[in-house]
Amino acid sequence: MRLLVISNRLPITIVEKDGELKFNKSAGGLVSGLSSYLTSFGDSSLPQAKYIWTGWPGVEIDKKKRKNLKSKLLNEIQAYPVFISEKIMDKFYLGFCNKVIWPLFHYFPSYAVYDEDYWTHYKLVNETFCNTIMEIAKPGDIIWIHDYHLMLLPKLLREKMPNLQIGFFLHIPFPTFEIFRLLPGKWRSEILQGLLGSNLLGFHTYNDTQYFLRCVLCILGYEHNMGQILLDKRIIKADTFPISIDFQKFYNAANSPEVVTTRKEFLKPLSNSKVILSIDRLDYTKGIINRLRGYETFLKKNPQWHKKVTLVLIVVPSRIGVEQYRHIKVQIDGLVGKINGRFGSVNWTPIIYQYKSLPFNALTALYSVSDIALVTPLRDGMNLIAKEYIATKHDKTGVLILSEMAGASKELGEAIIINPNDMEEIADAIKKALEMPKKEQIKRNTAMQIRLKNYDVKRWADEFIKELLSVKEDQKRINAKLLNYSTRKKLVKDFKKAKKRLIFLDYDGTLVPFAGTPQMAKPTKELLKILKHLSESPQNEVVLISGRTRDILEKWFGKININLVAEHGVWIKRKNKDWHIIKPLPNDWKSRIIPVLNLYVDRLPYSFVEEKEFSVVWHYRKADPELASIRAKELTDYLVNFTANIDIQILQGSKVIEIRNAGVNKGTAGLYWLSKSDFDSIIAIGDDWTDEDLFKVLPETAYSIKVGMTQSYARFNLSNYSEVLELIKEISKK
Ligand code: GDG
């Protein structure tokens, strides 16, 4: 098994020395986390487990040097570069990624710049990734795509290699529908369609997952069941996988000789002071300004802590080409100066400020030396800093102050959780942290450490890949029920051989697609021709078995000589005969139900009531899907109680709720036809719950076929009405 990890950047930095390209491995949160998983993946129990990491190498590579670099990267670190010019990357990365997606997905819609040129470059880079991956992908490979830079890639890959197993993980938050819909219509649909090319989509938090599923429903109209979407013949699963850290790496490093030495050095100027640590990439989402204001409020309110506390503020340069980042840097510089100027003295600097990144040992030393970590993002997918801080605490002392807007707050509930927009709350949290008894600190940190140790980054990656493989197994089970080539061939052969054949065909969703209103779903000329042809053969008994009224069936199919069943089995019309009712039924209950349904028509715009002779239907196909699903549940609950003493059934169909007499259904109608003769070939095709009654009464040898990929009593599945048409066209041939 081969795993292809795809991310925007390869975990390397390239340097040119004496005209030759050299590279160093770089270690960030994701990189170091994934690297340890991939190392263990290489020696895992999975047969021939191997991996290749694909991404942009970070710089534009001269055409002449590409071949050489490619083989060097592949041989030495199992990496495969995607070559893209810096000019294109600028519009893609600084443009679409960081001026559209990053601000929008972090709830900063006013920072988003909807530039068509950025979108063009986003598509171009995703396509270039796809083409590069095609150079190495083999059937059976597992693809794991990372993050918001590559949201179109799953679909692009699926189009080239339909059977690839593709997983996608989003490292940033997925926004609510109200934010996501701000994207121009074409972009937002293409992004969702792009993501749905995956078999598994992973998000940090339950909310992110739900927001994604809601966008899919509201924008594309695809419903899900427990996070599972069925699209054509494919299962797509969305689930929550909160990313973690390499716990042991941070824990062990905190006691390494290098870190112990660095810690001592750091402690020299800070020995008489409590240390508050703030470290982030320079980013407006990280709440650095709010943090400084919160600290300022704390100093204002608590003069007793002056000269006894120091904020170590590390800001790591990032995305320098984006205007908001330059602006925030100016703001931070100003605020640090203001606070130090106002509260500082010759022998005390309230904020020690550094605008550069730290080597790993220094970072770990700072974590372990700090009494408090102040982590106050305005919005953050997860936030690894918070987790890493806890991991370095050998004596389990130290206090984490964490924003409720970070995904990490869902797992690190023992931290002091704050709202980053509330300066008073930040200030009070700092005071509470400084005064927290050691025993309390140890209790809180022990609980968090156990959690982080048990669910580390390896476990995170492992669970993602396991679930990706399990979706593959589920898919296989579904595929096994698909009417494949050989079963279909046998069906046709058995049918042709038979002397007496019975064919049950449902109408809506089986022979025609669903339309906005029932009147619009008329049969096409081609369908009428096929049905006529099929029904004319004296060996065939073709029964159109529908929930429609006899009037509409008569109107649409009256001219062809075919058996009809209306209202799900209530009315029967044999060829050349008149309609008759299968058994006498009451319909006086309708007058009590219709006003209730009308009430729900008022409560759900675009829903309407259809009255049939022995049933009534509340249709909601054109209504807002979310409100509709709530109203449908409410109505069902209400009807169940309301009709407790009446012998009627409430059926949840495809975007309809139908209320009809109990005891008569497609099954009873099916038995009526089955009793007419000994049939040596029986075929029944339907897409709805009402067809299940029919499937249940058929003999085991019958070819029962469910249209759509949902659970059914039917023996086989076809994915949509056009496949049904192909099949009946084939059997209608002489
Ligand atoms: C995105 C999401 C999500 C930082 N400064 C230095 C340094 N770091 C390392 C930290 C940590 C990583 O960078 C930062 O990770 P975060 O999670 O805090 O934030 P993002 O970079 O925005 O990451 C985020 C993450 O993806 C993973 O899914 O949690 O929400 O935005 O690992 O240690 N490392 C060193 N020196 C530094 O100065 N060595």
Side-chain angles (χ1 to χ4, degrees):
M1 188 177 82
R2 248 180 21 150
L3 175 64
L4 306 188
V5 175
I6 325 287
S7 64
N8 174 39
R9 279 289 309 271
L10 274 180
I12 53 166
T13 41
I14 301 237
V15 275
E16 186 155 5
K17 222 176 171 190
D18 308 326
E20 222 194 299
L21 293 180
K22 304 224 154 105
F23 56 86
N24 299 318
K25 270 184 138 185
S26 51
L30 170 68
V31 174
S32 65
L34 259 187
S35 300
S36 42
Y37 170 72
L38 292 175
T39 315
S40 67
F41 187 80
D43 28 77
S44 86
S45 56
L46 296 164
Q48 294 162 346
K50 270 191 182 167
Y51 72 89
I52 299 179
W53 194 317
T54 300
W56 191 55
V59 282
E60 185 166 340
I61 307 289
D62 190 287
K63 277 204 175 114
K64 285 178 248 145
K65 295 181 177 165
R66 288 183 184 176
K67 203 171 156 203
N68 199 11
L69 181 73
K70 220 182 225 183
S71 64
K72 233 167 135 182
L73 284 173
L74 200 54
N75 294 336
E76 290 176 32
I77 57 162
Q78 291 171 256
Y80 197 78
V82 183
F83 297 117
I84 304 173
S85 75
E86 276 177 32
K87 203 169 148 212
I88 291 176
M89 278 313 267
D90 262 10
K91 292 234 166 113
F92 158 77
Y93 181 68
L94 294 177
F96 198 79
C97 293
N98 290 322
K99 284 192 193 146
V100 184
I101 298 297
W102 182 271
L104 213 54
F105 280 36
H106 285 89
Y107 297 76
F108 283 83
S110 58
Y111 288 7
V113 181
Y114 304 106
D115 183 333
E116 191 65 37
D117 198 32
Y118 292 162
W119 172 243
T120 309
H121 282 80
Y122 188 69
K123 286 172 80 162
L124 179 69
V125 169
N126 275 258
E127 278 156 11
T128 312
F129 265 76
C130 177
N131 294 336
T132 307
I133 294 161
M134 281 303 112
E135 293 168 13
I136 50 168
K138 295 184 200 155
D141 282 349
I142 289 187
I143 313 280
W144 190 4
I145 302 167
H146 288 266
D147 229 357
Y148 64 105
H149 319 87
L150 299 170
M151 292 190 284
L152 305 178
L153 186 56
K155 179 166 182 258
L156 293 171
L157 289 172
R158 171 95 34 227
E159 281 163 0
K160 302 259 182 188
M161 288 179 77
N163 295 324
L164 274 180
Q165 199 61 11
I166 304 174
F168 179 95
F169 189 83
L170 186 72
H171 288 264
I172 62 172
F174 197 94
T176 63
F177 172 59
E178 288 306 324
I179 292 283
F180 188 77
R181 74 190 305 186
L182 295 174
L183 283 170
K186 188 177 64 172
W187 302 4
R188 65 188 185 206
S189 313
E190 280 189 43
I191 287 173
L192 292 179
Q193 297 282 12
L195 289 169
L196 290 178
S198 318
N199 301 90
L200 176 65
L201 289 137
F203 302 89
H204 281 312
T205 68
Y206 175 76
N207 280 346
D208 296 327
T209 313
Q210 294 308 310
Y211 295 161
F212 166 73
L213 289 168
R214 181 162 188 237
C215 286
V216 170
L217 175 67
C218 295
I219 293 167
L220 302 178
Y222 306 150
E223 300 200 35
H224 75 95
N225 180 16
M226 308 279 284
Q228 201 161 289
I229 299 167
L230 274 162
L231 199 55
D232 297 328
K233 295 176 187 141
R234 203 159 47 80
I235 302 179
I236 301 156
K237 187 154 188 204
D239 207 349
T240 308
F241 302 86
I243 198 172
S244 194
I245 51 162
D246 189 344
F247 179 88
Q248 220 54 49
K249 181 178 155 193
F250 282 92
Y251 189 78
N252 294 344
N255 249 6
S256 69
E258 300 84 2
V259 170
V260 173
T261 316
T262 318
R263 193 160 50 217
K264 276 187 196 144
E265 266 170 44
F266 283 158
L267 272 175
K268 269 184 221 158
L270 297 169
S271 56
N272 293 324
S273 180
K274 291 275 185 186
V275 179
I276 304 175
L277 175 65
S278 159
I279 171 161
D280 302 277
R281 274 187 312 100
L282 176 72
D283 201 299
Y284 50 82
T285 64
K286 300 288 181 186
I288 304 172
I289 299 292
N290 299 41
R291 197 172 311 175
L292 287 170
R293 294 213 173 106
Y295 182 58
E296 186 183 24
T297 310
F298 163 78
L299 293 178
K300 248 189 254 169
K301 283 175 78 175
N302 297 285
Q304 75 279 17
W305 275 103
H306 289 192
K307 300 192 177 164
K308 292 180 193 152
V309 64
T310 307
L311 174 67
V312 177
L313 178 70
I314 312 288
V315 178
V316 180
S318 166
R319 300 173 197 170
I320 293 158
V322 180
E323 193 205 317
Q324 278 91 13
Y325 290 71
R326 285 195 296 265
H327 180 63
I328 199 160
K329 168 75 172 51
V330 175
Q331 277 184 294
I332 293 171
D333 291 352
L335 209 49
V336 170
K338 182 180 158 217
I339 295 170
N340 277 345
R342 174 167 173 196
F343 298 100
S345 58
V346 176
N347 51 6
W348 177 52
T349 313
I351 304 172
I352 298 176
Y353 171 39
Q354 170 179 318
Y355 178 60
K356 56 178 170 252
S357 72
L358 295 169
F360 176 74
N361 286 337
L363 174 76
T364 315
L366 256 186
Y367 281 149
S368 62
V369 94
S370 301
D371 300 282
I372 296 171
L374 189 52
V375 185
T376 61
L378 301 177
R379 193 65 64 168
D380 214 337
M382 177 52 66
N383 195 293
L384 298 178
I385 303 275
K387 294 188 170 183
E388 291 166 2
Y389 171 71
I390 297 293
T392 61
K393 295 294 180 183
H394 276 244
D395 66 359
K396 299 183 174 51
T397 62
V399 182
L400 172 65
I401 299 175
L402 180 59
S403 160
E404 61 180 303
M405 306 299 174
S409 67
K410 306 278 183 295
E411 293 165 85
L412 303 178
E414 292 82 1
I416 301 180
I417 305 290
I418 52 100
N419 179 318
N421 297 312
D422 188 340
M423 302 316 129
E424 292 286 332
E425 204 179 332
I426 297 177
D428 294 347
I430 295 174
K431 182 165 183 285
K432 185 175 170 186
L434 289 167
E435 291 167 3
M436 188 182 283
K438 283 242 167 0
K439 215 170 139 194
E440 174 72 15
Q441 297 178 22
I442 292 169
K443 195 172 126 204
R444 290 178 183 230
N445 291 338
T446 306
M448 290 192 275
Q449 278 196 351
I450 292 173
R451 212 168 294 136
L452 292 175
K453 199 171 161 185
N454 287 343
Y455 191 92
D456 66 358
V457 71
K458 277 191 215 164
R459 176 96 182 267
W460 166 78
D462 207 36
E463 297 218 335
F464 185 89
I465 297 295
K466 271 197 194 130
E467 190 148 338
L468 186 55
L469 294 174
S470 104
V471 175
K472 194 175 180 184
E473 291 307 308
D474 292 346
Q475 183 74 51
K476 272 192 199 158
R477 270 192 288 279
I478 283 207
N479 292 352
K481 273 196 83 180
L482 272 178
L483 189 72
N484 59 21
Y485 178 72
S486 61
T487 326
R488 186 190 158 119
K489 218 169 130 190
K490 182 157 186 324
L491 177 153
V492 176
K493 200 173 145 209
D494 289 350
F495 183 84
K496 298 261 154 112
K497 215 170 57 191
K499 303 228 159 29
K500 278 234 123 293
R501 309 147 174 165
L502 178 61
I503 305 127
F504 290 111
L505 297 170
D506 167 48
Y507 182 65
D508 293 276
T510 300
L511 297 177
V512 289
F514 286 103
T517 61
Q519 296 82 346
M520 285 157 74
K522 280 188 199 154
T524 59
K525 277 195 183 135
E526 197 207 355
L527 172 63
L528 290 171
K529 204 169 130 197
I530 299 172
L531 290 176
K532 185 166 179 279
H533 212 82
L534 199 62
S535 192
E536 268 168 3
S537 161
Q539 288 157 286
N540 295 350
E541 201 72 77
V542 183
V543 185
L544 200 63
I545 185 163
S546 162
R548 295 279 189 155
T549 61
R550 49 187 181 140
D551 291 351
I552 198 90
L553 291 183
E554 188 76 55
K555 185 173 158 200
W556 285 348
F557 302 99
K559 289 209 179 86
I560 56 171
N561 205 3
I562 190 169
N563 299 301
L564 299 171
V565 173
E567 293 201 33
H568 303 298
V570 174
W571 291 102
I572 291 186
K573 182 183 183 301
R574 302 192 63 189
K575 272 187 193 175
N576 303 317
K577 299 257 167 67
D578 278 338
W579 287 99
H580 73 274
I581 200 156
I582 202 161
K583 72 173 191 190
L585 292 167
N587 65 3
D588 51 343
W589 52 267
K590 285 196 318 185
S591 57
R592 291 167 61 193
I593 300 287
I594 289 172
V596 177
L597 299 190
N598 281 335
L599 195 76
Y600 275 78
V601 169
D602 295 339
R603 298 186 69 201
L604 183 70
Y606 306 110
S607 67
F608 64 92
V609 174
E610 181 191 9
E611 185 180 351
K612 302 182 191 176
E613 281 175 87
F614 292 95
S615 62
V616 276
V617 192
W618 181 63
H619 290 260
Y620 57 88
R621 181 164 302 279
K622 282 175 110 179
D624 170 78
E626 281 208 312
L627 185 59
S629 102
I630 293 167
R631 292 287 181 256
K633 279 191 195 106
E634 280 172 13
L635 177 60
T636 311
D637 273 0
Y638 185 79
L639 287 174
V640 167
N641 291 320
F642 189 73
T643 59
N645 298 322
I646 319 173
D647 195 19
I648 58 171
Q649 273 184 319
I650 298 148
L651 285 170
Q652 183 87 49
S654 173
K655 308 276 185 192
V656 295
I657 290 179
E658 177 144 7
I659 302 104
R660 65 178 197 195
N661 285 286
V664 174
N665 55 42
K666 286 190 180 176
T668 44
L671 288 171
Y672 170 87
W673 295 98
L674 286 164
S675 68
K676 294 280 163 225
S677 180
D678 275 340
F679 295 98
D680 43 3
S681 169
I682 301 169
I683 298 174
I685 315 179
D687 74 307
D688 205 338
W689 284 110
T690 57
D691 298 301
E692 296 298 312
D693 293 323
L694 173 62
F695 297 149
K696 276 189 233 170
V697 301
L698 297 177
E700 273 179 19
T701 48
Y703 284 91
S704 49
I705 303 170
K706 166 90 178 176
V707 184
M709 307 303 296
T710 44
Q711 289 276 352
S712 169
Y713 281 98
R715 287 173 61 204
F716 304 102
N717 287 75
L718 278 176
S719 46
N720 54 43
Y721 79 97
S722 43
E723 290 186 0
V724 178
L725 288 190
E726 269 176 45
L727 179 69
I728 61 166
K729 199 168 171 182
E730 192 173 346
I731 59 171
S732 72
K733 282 183 202 150
K734 292 256 159 52

